[in-house]
């Protein structure tokens, strides 16, 4: 399977040679070598600072629990999944305010993730992006 990405280098990046491209393309595989089943899914949620689910894949709802604390519910068990969160704009065309995100399985709810957002070391509401590899 060949990569469909552009072969032109981005500003500041050297253009990859044909051998590099072929080697990278040959490494496109399923998730099985990483210990994940072939049925693994990448789920995601883009959430506004007020806890509104703006868009997502497999995400069914978001609840703002307190300032800077959210619960994101998915359509499948994510207890043993990998989670990645980042502060990010809920809508295009602008940057999100600076901040940090912490993510963990939601205690007592196997199909949910607990997300905390911070600004200046304090819990504050921030828009965020959450990716879940389940």
């Amino acid at each position: 399977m060949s990569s469909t990405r552009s072969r032109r280098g981005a500003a500041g990046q050297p253009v990859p040679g044909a051998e590099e491209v072929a080697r990278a393309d040959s490494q496109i595989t399923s998730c099985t070598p990483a210990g994940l089943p072939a049925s693994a899914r990448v789920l995601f949620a883009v959430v506004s600072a007020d806890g509104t689910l703006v868009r997502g894949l497999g995400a069914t709802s978001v609840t703002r629990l307190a300032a800077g604390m959210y619960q994101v519910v998915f359509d499948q068990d994510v207890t043993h999944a990998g989670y990645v969160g980042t502060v990010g704009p809920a809508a295009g065309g602008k940057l999100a305010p600076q901040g940090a995100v912490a993510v963990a399985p939601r205690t007592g709810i196997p199909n949910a993730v607990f997300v905390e957002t911070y600004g200046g070391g304090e819990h504050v509401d921030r828009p965020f992006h959450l990716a879940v590899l389940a």
Side-chain angles (χ1 to χ4, degrees):
M1 181 166 116
S2 179
S3 173
T4 59
R5 293 184 183 175
S6 171
R7 303 292 186 215
R8 297 191 304 169
Q13 293 185 18
V15 176
E19 186 175 313
E20 291 173 271
V21 171
R23 183 174 47 247
D25 282 347
S26 73
Q27 294 172 1
I28 296 174
T29 62
S30 71
C31 295
T32 304
L36 298 169
S39 62
R41 288 177 68 196
V42 176
L43 311 171
F44 78 91
V46 175
V47 179
S48 66
D50 68 1
T52 301
L53 177 61
V54 176
R55 61 187 176 278
L57 177 63
T60 59
S61 67
V62 177
T63 303
R64 181 184 173 276
L65 303 170
M69 295 183 188
Y70 306 86
Q71 170 182 291
V72 182
V73 177
F74 291 91
D75 63 2
Q76 69 182 70
D77 187 328
V78 295
T79 305
H80 300 291
Y83 317 109
V84 179
T86 187
V87 172
K94 55 185 168 180
L95 295 174
Q98 288 186 329
V101 173
V103 295
R106 180 72 167 116
T107 302
I109 306 175
N111 61 320
V113 177
F114 180 67
V115 178
E116 293 180 305
T117 58
Y118 300 90
E122 303 288 326
H123 280 107
V124 293
D125 293 336
R126 293 284 190 256
F128 62 90
H129 295 208
L130 173 65
V132 177
L133 182 56

